[in-house]
Amino acid sequence: MEVVYTHCCGLDVHKKNVVACVITPEGKEIRTFSTMTDDLISMVDWLKTKGCTHVAMES
């Protein structure tokens, strides 16, 4: 059985920023956020608005 996630995100974590790539049926969008708490909360809010259900992280 193959599972395909339609609303997912890949995170590339660095010391001072996080690059997030969201893929949805509408397309791909990439944004960069700092690692400060307020910006990380903004990233989570953005992922929620995109309907993101799964996240994979590389650091």
Side-chain angles (χ1 to χ4, degrees):
M1 179 176 158
E2 184 175 317
V3 178
V4 176
Y5 300 109
T6 60
H7 293 74
C8 56
C9 176
L11 299 178
D12 191 8
V13 180
H14 302 275
K15 187 174 186 176
K16 294 185 179 183
N17 61 43
V18 178
V19 180
C21 177
V22 171
I23 298 176
T24 66
E26 291 76 38
K28 176 174 73 170
E29 187 174 349
I30 300 172
R31 288 195 185 179
T32 301
F33 300 87
S34 83
T35 54
M36 302 303 288
T37 302
D38 288 343
D39 287 337
L40 295 176
I41 291 170
S42 294
M43 180 181 69
V44 171
D45 292 341
W46 177 64
L47 293 176
K48 288 179 181 179
T49 64
K50 291 294 183 177
C52 188
T53 59
H54 290 78
V55 176
M57 180 175 69
E58 176 185 55
S59 64

